[in-house]
Amino acid sequence: MPSIRFGGMASGLDTESIIKDMMRVERLPVDKLKQKKQTLEWQRDSYRETNLLLTSFRDKTLNMRMQSSFTTKITNSSNSDKVTATAAATSGNVSYTLSKVSQLATSATNSSTNSISKSNTDKISTSEKLYSIQDKFQVGTFEWKDTANPINERINVDAGGKEFSFKKSLSGTIENLKVNVSGSEYTVVDELGDLTEGANQVFVDKNTGKVTFSNTLSAGDKINIEYTASVKDTVTLSTKGKEVNLTNPGITQIKSISIDGKEITLDVNGQSTDENYKFSLDKNTGKITFDNELAANTKVEVSYHQEYFEFEMATHNKSGQTVESFKFDGKASLDKVMDTVNKSDLGVNMFYDEYSDSVTMTRTETGNFNEAGNEITFTGSFLTKGLMLSEGNEKGGENAKFTLNGLETQRTSNNFTVNGVTFTLKDTFDSVDGTDAAVTVSVQNDTTKAFDNIKKFVEDYNELIDKLQGTMKEEKYRDYAPLTDEEREALSDDQIEKWEEKAKSGLLRNDQTLSSLLNQMRMDFYTPVEGESDSMFNQLSAIGITTTANYLDGGKLQINEEKLKEALEKDADGVYNLFAADGPTSGEQGIARRLRDSLSNSITTITQRAGNGMQTNSQFTLGKNLDEVNSRITDMEARLVEKEDRFWQQFTAMETAMQKMNDQMNYMMSQLGMGTTA
């Protein structure tokens, strides 16, 4: 807190104003340093803004080094209702003739042979718990199993390794875990760190299903995992009552139960032996009813085994056969079952149709991948008796059959690629027997897109030249130094803005780094591209791009549009090579690659001088200068405080002396009878 000073009590002088005027002169060197600091900060910011411009344009050079920017292809079909096509940039300018499409590719499908609901007037609901509506299905639909008995999961080892995963289908905690590999038992350890290299040991993460072995398994091994599972529910009563509803229906046995943390003793049948907490269990619904009322906020924890059902499905694809097993507890709905199957690796889409009361399965891939039999196979009473599915009801997938350039062939999909051209078959036709006309698909260069890309690149370059030249030619107003704090207080906001606009002008005038970059970019554009390419285009003028006639433009480019389009039509690859060619020397590199290197070098130079937002002042030149100026300002400010204190001490001493003189004068006057009388 600044001290409070009073001056002129004896002398009548305005001491504060006098010292303030004296300090104004003393502060002139500090103000000069602060103006220098402001200039350095403005210059730093100007460099950084310029670097953003250069970085943005450098990023645009990437597009000019991509072949797709120059050699994009367009296709034309003589009958797009029958056949369409797209072409990759690498495809040739060719023509294809499809004389016949005798068969489109289709997917294997299978559907219920009959209604799946037992009663036509009481159809199943796909969103309800299956355990609750199991009586609406045919008898024998559900072969319920108990999670207290061993549950089996299998993993086929396709590639050797130590780490594998199995899908834990059922909710709950894994217990009594056993693992064997191709008949050999493995010891299950409690922690991953307990594994001993080379021993027959395994660690199973019961939460994620990740299985880690101590030794490496070989391709072809079969991992069998056996375990039991129990569910633990925690229910807190919102109001007092006797009923507690568990998450799952189909409870087989309660393992343990606790009330507010107190474990209740159970007999071998899962019944309470505690007279205060007797209860009955409805295994079908999962509802527990206590004999005595429980208070509100009572916390009940129950661990139990439950019923589940399972089935297995397999499909064929290009890689062979995919097999998936599924397990569901009683709370699962038909919607949940179908969604799980649809999201599996089987490549099957399953849905229920309410009108026909049936389920349909369709392979997501078209084509026939199993000439010897069914595309979709399955086991399990839920599918065969519940959903009324039969493998004999499958309508197998078919391959697309067609004649391309006289060659009779087929594909598993209606979309296929030949030499970079992707065809899509949309309908059958036959020109061989004269029923339909043949379909011709032609491929040619898309010069429009390439032309637009080059034109945009030239426009961006010219815009960059404009901005850089504008920065380098800005007038320097030497009479407009940065405002001091005192000067700023005397001006309005509008006056400050106008002043600083001139003070900031010309900070990068005739900057050597930018001047060198402009010269280098002009050389990058006009130095011929050497190398092994047999293209007729080795410099910009050959494709109709030249500098403007006005030398004041600083090397801006202009395009002869007709000549550029003609070059692209003749040799799009040659134009691409002109911009994107790669090589060990600058002469062998394309224009866009040269520009990127030149821009990168300048960006690095400017960053070394002005830094970026991620660097500290000590990491770049202007930052070091700023630190030095700040240090000098701090030292000078400290000396100014000391000097101002001395001024006040001197004036205070003068006031004290004058007060003594006044006191002596008054005493003498009073002794001579010249004092004031009453």
Side-chain angles (χ1 to χ4, degrees):
M1 180 177 179
S3 58
I4 300 176
R5 292 162 167 164
F6 297 98
M9 300 296 290
S11 65
L13 297 173
D14 186 354
T15 306
E16 185 174 0
S17 296
I18 293 172
I19 293 178
K20 186 175 181 180
D21 289 339
M22 295 171 67
M23 290 304 298
R24 183 179 291 112
V25 176
E26 297 290 340
R27 289 194 63 84
L28 287 177
V30 176
D31 289 340
K32 290 290 185 184
L33 282 176
K34 287 186 175 181
Q35 288 174 319
K36 181 178 180 180
K37 174 186 175 182
Q38 182 64 81
T39 300
L40 288 172
E41 289 175 340
W42 284 342
Q43 192 175 43
R44 175 200 64 194
D45 294 343
S46 294
Y47 272 125
R48 290 183 179 180
E49 289 174 7
T50 301
N51 244 3
L52 290 176
L53 287 175
L54 300 182
T55 301
S56 175
F57 185 71
R58 181 183 64 179
D59 292 342
K60 293 172 183 176
T61 64
L62 175 61
N63 187 49
M64 302 304 290
R65 291 183 287 124
M66 297 176 65
Q67 190 171 25
S68 59
S69 297
F70 295 87
T71 57
T72 303
K73 303 291 184 175
I74 56 174
T75 60
N76 180 59
S77 171
S78 62
N79 190 340
S80 58
D81 291 332
K82 303 290 186 181
V83 182
T84 59
T86 59
T90 54
S91 62
N93 294 340
V94 295
S95 179
Y96 296 91
T97 300
L98 286 99
S99 54
K100 182 179 181 180
V101 175
S102 58
Q103 180 175 284
L104 293 178
T106 59
S107 300
T109 61
N110 200 335
S111 58
S112 304
T113 57
N114 209 336
S115 297
I116 67 175
S117 300
K118 185 186 297 183
S119 171
N120 291 331
T121 59
D122 188 18
K123 293 182 179 180
I124 66 165
S125 168
T126 60
S127 60
E128 291 188 53
K129 296 177 181 179
L130 288 171
Y131 202 92
S132 302
I133 62 171
Q134 57 182 305
D135 290 340
K136 294 185 179 182
F137 288 89
Q138 301 296 328
V139 175
T141 292
F142 296 95
E143 295 177 342
W144 295 106
K145 297 184 177 182
D146 191 344
T147 58
N149 298 324
I151 302 168
N152 294 292
E153 306 283 0
R154 297 192 305 273
I155 304 174
N156 293 322
V157 180
D158 297 323
K162 292 185 177 182
E163 295 183 350
F164 306 90
S165 292
F166 74 94
K167 295 179 180 178
K168 180 171 158 288
S169 306
L170 298 172
S171 59
T173 303
I174 291 177
E175 302 167 336
N176 304 315
L177 188 63
K178 295 181 181 179
V179 178
N180 76 72
V181 178
S182 299
S184 299
E185 293 293 330
Y186 274 67
T187 302
V188 180
V189 299
D190 295 328
E191 301 290 340
L192 183 62
D194 294 340
L195 291 175
T196 302
E197 180 72 27
N200 276 18
Q201 294 178 332
V202 61
F203 169 73
V204 179
D205 189 320
K206 297 177 181 179
N207 294 316
T208 64
K210 183 177 179 181
V211 183
T212 306
F213 289 89
S214 57
N215 55 345
T216 301
L217 303 189
S218 302
D221 281 339
K222 298 186 182 300
I223 304 170
N224 293 288
I225 300 173
E226 181 183 287
Y227 61 94
T228 62
S230 64
V231 175
K232 185 175 183 179
D233 282 352
T234 301
V235 181
T236 301
L237 275 64
S238 57
T239 60
K240 63 181 180 180
K242 295 182 178 182
E243 295 181 352
V244 174
N245 291 304
L246 301 179
T247 303
N248 296 285
I251 310 299
T252 57
Q253 185 173 8
I254 291 180
K255 288 183 58 185
S256 65
I257 185 168
S258 67
I259 309 295
D260 287 334
K262 178 186 176 182
E263 192 75 22
I264 306 303
T265 304
L266 304 178
D267 61 21
V268 293
N269 296 316
Q271 297 296 314
S272 172
T273 60
D274 190 326
E275 293 298 328
N276 295 321
Y277 294 107
K278 290 287 187 178
F279 63 85
S280 60
L281 169 67
D282 185 335
K283 294 185 177 182
N284 290 331
T285 63
K287 182 171 72 174
I288 296 176
T289 305
F290 287 88
D291 292 352
N292 298 322
E293 192 171 64
L294 302 178
N297 298 318
T298 297
K299 183 179 180 181
V300 182
E301 293 182 308
V302 185
S303 179
Y304 55 90
H305 292 297
Q306 60 177 321
E307 291 185 306
Y308 72 96
F309 68 93
E310 62 183 341
F311 58 85
E312 186 173 274
M313 296 179 66
T315 57
H316 292 265
N317 51 44
K318 295 177 182 177
S319 303
Q321 189 180 49
T322 299
V323 181
E324 291 263 9
S325 60
F326 301 92
K327 297 175 178 64
F328 298 95
D329 53 37
K331 72 175 182 295
S333 65
L334 181 57
D335 284 335
K336 171 66 174 177
V337 172
M338 293 188 296
D339 184 62
T340 303
V341 172
N342 292 345
K343 290 179 179 178
S344 72
D345 295 332
L346 290 171
V348 169
N349 182 51
M350 176 186 284
F351 70 91
Y352 168 76
D353 177 58
E354 183 179 1
Y355 179 79
S356 63
D357 190 35
S358 61
V359 169
T360 296
M361 290 192 299
T362 304
R363 287 282 284 122
T364 53
E365 284 187 282
T366 58
N368 185 355
F369 294 99
N370 186 22
E371 295 284 352
N374 285 26
E375 291 284 308
I376 309 170
T377 57
F378 43 84
T379 59
S381 62
F382 177 74
L383 297 180
T384 58
K385 294 182 179 180
L387 302 188
M388 306 294 287
L389 294 170
S390 169
E391 292 182 4
N393 198 42
E394 178 181 305
K395 182 179 180 182
E398 295 181 332
N399 293 340
K401 296 181 179 180
F402 55 93
T403 302
L404 177 65
N405 285 0
L407 174 67
E408 291 186 11
T409 185
Q410 54 183 295
R411 297 288 189 279
T412 58
S413 173
N414 293 315
N415 297 289
F416 59 92
T417 301
V418 176
N419 294 333
V421 181
T422 300
F423 296 86
T424 299
L425 306 180
K426 303 175 74 174
D427 199 0
T428 58
F429 62 92
D430 190 351
S431 67
V432 178
D433 63 5
T435 305
D436 304 286
V439 177
T440 301
V441 174
S442 59
V443 181
Q444 58 189 31
N445 292 332
D446 183 3
T447 57
T448 300
K449 182 177 179 180
F451 174 83
D452 290 342
N453 286 333
I454 295 173
K455 183 177 180 181
K456 182 65 169 61
F457 184 69
V458 169
E459 290 172 350
D460 290 338
Y461 173 74
N462 288 342
E463 183 179 350
L464 177 66
I465 296 298
D466 260 341
K467 290 179 178 178
L468 293 181
Q469 287 204 127
T471 297
M472 294 175 59
K473 291 180 179 180
E474 273 187 347
E475 186 174 350
K476 180 69 175 176
Y477 298 95
R478 301 190 181 279
D479 295 333
Y480 287 81
L483 294 169
T484 64
D485 293 339
E486 188 174 354
E487 290 170 338
R488 186 179 292 273
E489 290 175 1
L491 299 176
S492 67
D493 290 343
D494 185 57
Q495 289 173 322
I496 293 173
E497 183 180 351
K498 290 180 179 178
W499 182 282
E500 290 190 341
E501 183 179 341
K502 290 185 178 295
K504 292 179 180 179
S505 179
L507 290 172
L508 302 185
R509 182 178 175 84
N510 296 326
D511 184 82
Q512 187 59 44
T513 300
L514 299 184
S515 177
S516 297
L517 174 61
L518 288 173
N519 290 333
Q520 184 59 49
M521 287 196 297
R522 283 194 286 270
M523 289 181 60
D524 291 339
F525 270 111
Y526 289 107
T527 301
V529 177
E530 305 168 355
E532 299 178 358
S533 173
D534 57 0
S535 171
M536 66 184 76
F537 308 127
N538 66 346
Q539 58 185 30
L540 277 183
S541 58
I543 64 172
I545 301 177
T546 57
T547 54
T548 59
N550 187 352
Y551 76 95
L552 294 176
D553 285 344
K556 285 187 182 179
L557 302 176
Q558 61 185 5
I559 300 176
N560 182 326
E561 296 190 1
E562 290 186 3
K563 191 171 183 179
L564 176 57
K565 289 178 180 178
E566 182 182 352
L568 288 168
E569 289 172 357
K570 284 184 177 179
D571 186 6
D573 287 327
V575 177
Y576 163 69
N577 188 71
L578 176 62
F579 282 91
D582 199 5
T585 66
S586 176
E588 295 173 287
Q589 292 174 349
I591 293 168
R593 293 186 183 275
R594 295 173 184 170
L595 285 172
R596 181 174 179 81
D597 290 343
S598 299
L599 288 161
S600 294
N601 291 336
S602 296
I603 289 169
T604 299
T605 301
I606 292 174
T607 301
Q608 291 171 346
R609 180 164 179 76
N612 55 48
M614 303 297 293
Q615 293 177 311
T616 61
N617 281 354
S618 62
Q619 295 176 291
F620 57 95
T621 304
L622 289 179
K624 294 175 183 177
N625 294 343
L626 282 168
D627 283 345
E628 180 185 356
V629 171
N630 281 329
S631 178
R632 292 175 61 191
I633 290 174
T634 300
D635 292 342
M636 293 186 71
E637 291 280 11
R639 289 197 294 270
L640 287 175
V641 171
E642 293 175 356
K643 182 164 288 189
E644 185 175 3
D645 286 341
R646 286 200 302 273
F647 284 154
W648 275 103
Q649 290 170 5
Q650 291 169 355
F651 272 91
T652 299
M654 181 192 73
E655 293 287 339
T656 301
M658 292 185 70
Q659 183 62 42
K660 288 181 180 180
M661 291 176 62
N662 287 339
D663 290 344
Q664 291 174 354
M665 179 65 70
N666 289 336
Y667 176 75
M668 292 175 62
M669 295 293 288
S670 66
Q671 292 297 316
L672 295 172
M674 299 177 64
T676 303
T677 59

